[in-house]
Amino acid sequence: MIRRYAIVGTGGRHDMFRRAIAGQYEGACELVGLCDLNDGRRELAALDTQRLTGRTVPTFAASDFDRMLAETGADTVIVTSMDASHDEYIVRALRAGVNVVTEKPMTTDETKCQRILDAVRESKGTVRVC
């Protein structure tokens, strides 16, 4: 079964995930979406992915995160956005039934952490912190 990944946050930390999915693990993984606040970073990541794979990866503005989940059929979201925004994307992905891999720190305070823990309990999804 091929795992379908979407990445939210296309700054410096996303690169190792994107390149692994598009390169070394392309037989077992597929990159199905890239999402970011910054249009330039998002498009640069998409162009580099196309250069590596020959495939076009759909891109989404941060405001279209939920649409990305619905349209791409991602089963896992990798969160590499700014630390303070991790909880928002983690909770939304879990509520959509999507698993999450997130960079550390998982979040930035106890209130956000509790939101994530509650979402994990209420969903069938999982959260892994790298």
Side-chain angles (χ1 to χ4, degrees):
M1 176 176 103
I2 294 182
R3 303 287 304 175
R4 297 173 58 85
Y5 290 90
I7 300 174
V8 59
T10 57
R13 291 190 283 180
H14 95 286
D15 204 44
M16 72 174 180
F17 294 102
R18 182 177 55 81
R19 287 178 171 271
I21 293 166
Q24 181 179 0
Y25 298 104
E26 73 174 327
C29 304
E30 180 181 5
L31 183 61
V32 297
L34 293 165
C35 180
D36 198 284
L37 287 167
N38 183 297
D39 296 341
R41 277 196 316 245
R42 188 174 63 238
E43 295 307 317
L44 185 61
L47 286 171
D48 190 54
T49 303
Q50 185 173 29
R51 184 183 60 76
L52 290 171
T53 67
R55 284 190 338 97
T56 300
V57 176
T59 64
F60 299 84
S63 59
D64 293 325
F65 177 77
D66 297 316
R67 183 169 67 85
M68 177 185 71
L69 296 180
E71 289 181 7
T72 64
D75 46 55
T76 303
V77 169
I78 300 171
V79 179
T80 58
S81 61
M82 295 181 303
D83 297 345
S85 69
H86 285 188
D87 68 304
E88 184 64 31
Y89 295 116
I90 292 169
V91 169
R92 287 163 65 187
L94 289 169
R95 288 186 176 150
V98 177
N99 295 316
V100 177
V101 173
T102 186
E103 276 285 308
K104 64 177 180 62
M106 181 175 73
T107 193
T108 56
D109 65 40
E110 67 277 0
T111 302
K112 292 176 179 184
C113 187
Q114 189 61 58
R115 283 186 68 224
I116 293 168
L117 294 174
D118 291 344
V120 168
R121 275 192 288 275
E122 295 165 3
S123 76
K124 294 181 181 179
T126 61
V127 176
R128 294 179 184 202
V129 181
C130 295

